[in-house]
Amino acid sequence: QVQLVESGGGSVQAGGSLRLSCAASGAISKRYCMGWFRQAPGKEREGVARIYTLSGSTYYADSVKGRFTISQDNAKNTLYLQMSSLKPEDTAMYYCAADPSTTGCFSRLNSGRLNYWGQGTQVTVSS
């Protein structure tokens, strides 16, 4: 079993920055698919970014490419999402997710089919 706890959300003006954190505990192995997805009221879930914890390989949704950076601190079992140049359309609940299989990682992140996810942290961007 894996537990994920997100933090770092808040309210910020457009153009600002936030860093989200996701503390992982439990049966985390070295080789995992981890990522962030978001969901705004009335909108579909959207995969934001994913990372393979063993290789460090990353992938981003086009909507955040160049503005968001996903990273990890293996010593702390913590995943991060650095968000810059935030836009009002980035407003959503952000969730951290993880799965022991890397197959189809981003696709499954986008469709909510990873095994574990946290309770979410709210990000609100005002214009």
Side-chain angles (χ1 to χ4, degrees):
Q1 194 72 9
V2 172
Q3 294 79 42
L4 303 171
V5 179
E6 303 95 334
S7 61
S11 297
V12 64
Q13 289 193 328
S17 299
L18 282 174
R19 187 176 81 158
L20 307 183
S21 299
C22 171
S25 60
I28 289 280
S29 71
K30 287 187 177 180
R31 183 178 182 273
Y32 249 69
C33 150
M34 295 192 74
W36 295 90
F37 68 91
R38 64 188 181 186
Q39 188 151 26
K43 295 187 178 180
E44 291 188 355
R45 176 188 296 109
E46 179 186 19
V48 173
R50 67 94 176 127
I51 188 168
Y52 294 153
T53 58
L54 183 60
S55 68
S57 167
T58 59
Y59 182 86
Y60 298 91
D62 287 343
S63 58
V64 305
K65 201 172 294 182
R67 300 187 298 122
F68 290 11
T69 302
I70 188 171
S71 63
Q72 59 182 345
D73 184 332
N74 289 335
K76 297 181 179 179
N77 275 350
T78 301
L79 183 72
Y80 301 102
L81 185 68
Q82 178 68 47
M83 306 185 295
S84 302
S85 301
L86 282 161
K87 305 175 181 179
E89 51 264 44
D90 294 318
T91 295
M93 186 73 81
Y94 283 71
Y95 299 86
C96 169
D99 196 287
S101 171
T102 57
T103 302
C105 178
F106 191 81
S107 174
R108 291 187 296 123
L109 176 71
N110 203 43
S111 58
R113 291 183 289 128
L114 297 191
N115 269 3
Y116 308 105
W117 58 91
Q119 82 290 346
T121 186
Q122 177 69 37
V123 172
T124 303
V125 184
S126 58
S127 56

